[in-house]
Amino acid sequence: MPKRKVVVSIKDFGDGTTSNTEAFRKGVRYVQGFDDKGGAQLNVPEGLWLTGNFNLTSNFTLFLRKGAVILGSQDMADWPIIDPLPSYGRGRERHISLIHVDHLTNVFITGYNGTIDGKGQIRWDLWCNRTLKHTRGHLVELTAHKRPSCGTDEL
């Protein structure tokens, strides 16, 4: 895993007390500017960080500090509908994943025992009640990318 020259904190973009969807999105947009300089790292400090979906970027490390918990929003509006995967077939639109990695290079999700909790029970309840209109999103989705990693194991 490469050492990133630029390291920022999600605290630079959000407060950790309300929904941090825009904070994660702003943080990722900010570090995109360092793509040609070897990329950047976004640290998530200890605490609860409620968020809807956010996409990662190439040459990027998402680093969860000890005690950091990324919590998936329970508001279905925070989980946009996207096209189905080719293997799903037509007409099987789905909710986007909490953390989305699509057509990217050199992406790492790592840290010191932080947690990514999609709070998926609401979607399972909707599915069991047959009221979920679209396929549920994944916690983390990695598609069409080169050299991704979660923790110390390369995928």
Side-chain angles (χ1 to χ4, degrees):
M1 181 171 68
K3 183 172 173 77
R4 307 293 186 190
K5 294 178 182 175
V6 177
V7 178
V8 296
S9 172
I10 191 65
K11 283 186 170 185
D12 297 335
F13 307 96
D15 61 14
T17 60
T18 60
S19 174
N20 289 278
T21 304
E22 281 308 308
F24 277 100
R25 291 175 182 172
K26 285 179 186 176
V28 172
R29 279 194 304 270
Y30 175 78
V31 300
Q32 280 178 322
F34 300 100
D35 186 45
D36 61 345
K37 296 172 182 68
Q41 177 172 306
L42 180 64
N43 286 341
V44 181
E46 180 178 354
L48 300 176
W49 297 88
L50 177 68
T51 184
N53 156 267
F54 62 97
N55 299 320
L56 301 186
T57 187
S58 288
N59 300 313
F60 177 79
T61 301
L62 179 64
F63 192 94
L64 283 75
R65 297 277 179 200
K66 184 176 181 180
V69 180
I70 296 176
L71 287 174
S73 169
Q74 298 296 285
D75 183 350
M76 293 305 284
D78 286 335
W79 300 78
I81 305 301
I82 60 173
D83 290 335
L85 290 170
S87 61
Y88 281 25
R90 293 176 53 189
R92 299 268 328 257
E93 289 76 18
R94 61 200 173 105
H95 291 276
I96 197 166
S97 58
L98 179 62
I99 300 173
H100 201 72
V101 180
D102 190 22
H103 290 87
L104 300 177
T105 304
N106 200 18
V107 175
F108 295 85
I109 300 173
T110 189
Y112 297 128
N113 294 321
T115 301
I116 301 171
D117 181 352
K119 303 296 284 181
Q121 189 62 48
I122 188 173
R123 284 164 289 286
W124 281 114
D125 291 345
L126 292 170
W127 184 80
C128 288
N129 295 331
R130 300 189 184 278
T131 56
L132 185 64
K133 296 178 183 172
H134 303 283
T135 304
R136 67 180 182 82
H138 299 279
L139 183 64
V140 177
E141 184 172 332
L142 307 149
T143 58
H145 49 276
K146 296 178 184 175
R147 195 172 180 215
S149 178
C150 289
T152 58
D153 298 326
E154 297 252 348
L155 299 176

